[in-house]
Amino acid sequence: MDWNSSALWGIIGLIGGFFSSFIFHKISTKTKKIIYTKNSQTLVTNSLSEINGLNITFHNQPIKNLTSTTLTIRSVGKDIINLDDFGKATPLCIKTTECFFLQENVNSIICKNSNPNNLMKLIIKDEKTILLDFDYLSQEDEVEFVLLHTGTIEIDGKLKSGTLLNKNNSKKFDLFTINNLAFTLIYIAMFAQIMLYEYYDIALSNISYFTFF
């Protein structure tokens, strides 16, 4: 292989330039991305509530099943997220399939806010939905909630330009991950092509050598 070949160094330069541009692009690109996790524990089951003589109530209403869930939301993108980054029809909220059991001070369910400058308050829309009203979310800002509820629970909402991802669901790949994978595969393919050129040149050199002798 001729290491003095201008064509070879041109291809190597192209690969290097592409890889450098890719790294710079990923570092400099601002993205809006929120991930959330949930950890649920069942406190009351239907079978438990049916035991004779055992009455479990909340505000004098019988409880047949009850779950405690810790929800954590974290901003992991490089861009600041504001409240109006969510559509009016798809605001950031907490939803359950049945109902919540809340104290009079609904904000008491916020047990952690990593950024005290981010003023967050909760608004009860109905028995199944709690709206999250916040000032802004910077990179790595994290808010944690503990809620009592029946049914299943999720964080809901849609960013106008960005991603809201359930981290518990590891089988889903977001667009950011797919883009990274695509760029990596392209880089590997181009590197493999360079290696093939190298082995091809070596093979031709060997053929020329044996032909000469």
Side-chain angles (χ1 to χ4, degrees):
M1 184 176 182
D2 184 8
W3 289 98
N4 293 319
S5 171
S6 59
L8 173 64
W9 286 109
I11 295 174
I12 293 175
L14 179 64
I15 294 291
F18 172 81
F19 189 60
S20 298
S21 299
F22 169 71
I23 294 176
F24 178 77
H25 172 74
K26 290 302 176 185
I27 292 175
S28 60
T29 299
K30 289 187 175 182
T31 57
K32 299 178 189 289
K33 184 177 180 182
I34 294 176
I35 60 172
Y36 72 92
T37 59
K38 62 178 182 176
N39 182 18
S40 298
Q41 292 183 329
T42 302
L43 303 179
V44 179
T45 61
N46 289 329
S47 58
L48 181 63
S49 64
E50 291 172 357
I51 297 176
N52 290 333
L54 179 62
N55 296 314
I56 304 174
T57 63
F58 181 81
H59 288 175
N60 297 322
Q61 297 296 319
I63 297 175
K64 293 185 177 181
N65 66 83
L66 183 65
T67 302
S68 174
T69 297
T70 300
L71 283 171
T72 304
I73 64 172
R74 183 157 61 99
S75 175
V76 296
K78 296 177 182 178
D79 203 359
I80 293 176
I81 298 175
N82 297 299
L83 185 62
D84 59 6
D85 286 321
F86 287 87
K88 291 183 178 180
T90 55
L92 183 62
C93 61
I94 305 172
K95 286 188 174 181
T96 180
T97 54
E98 295 186 20
C99 67
F100 291 108
F101 293 90
L102 302 169
Q103 301 293 333
E104 290 183 5
N105 179 15
V106 66
N107 290 306
S108 63
I109 69 172
I110 302 175
C111 60
K112 176 185 176 182
N113 186 351
S114 65
N115 182 3
N117 295 320
N118 172 27
L119 302 178
M120 177 171 287
K121 64 178 181 178
L122 307 179
I123 301 172
I124 301 175
K125 181 180 180 181
D126 52 50
E127 65 177 10
K128 295 184 178 182
T129 308
I130 300 174
L131 301 176
L132 304 184
D133 186 8
F134 62 95
D135 188 10
Y136 66 94
L137 291 171
S138 297
Q139 187 176 10
E140 300 305 325
D141 279 0
E142 184 175 284
V143 185
E144 189 173 277
F145 312 89
V146 177
L147 303 101
L148 295 176
H149 61 94
T150 56
T152 58
I153 192 172
E154 294 289 346
I155 295 286
D156 196 21
K158 185 176 181 181
L159 284 162
K160 297 174 184 176
S161 177
T163 305
L164 175 64
L165 182 68
N166 182 354
K167 194 176 180 182
N168 293 89
N169 193 348
S170 58
K171 293 182 180 180
K172 289 185 179 180
F173 292 93
D174 62 338
L175 184 60
F176 182 77
T177 302
I178 293 173
N179 285 339
N180 281 345
L181 181 60
F183 276 112
T184 301
L185 291 175
I186 291 173
Y187 173 73
I188 292 174
M190 295 181 70
F191 182 76
Q193 188 176 19
I194 292 295
M195 293 297 99
L196 287 175
Y197 282 142
E198 180 179 352
Y199 285 120
Y200 178 72
D201 283 349
I202 293 174
L204 286 179
S205 299
N206 290 336
I207 292 173
S208 299
Y209 175 80
F210 287 114
T211 303
F212 177 77
F213 284 98

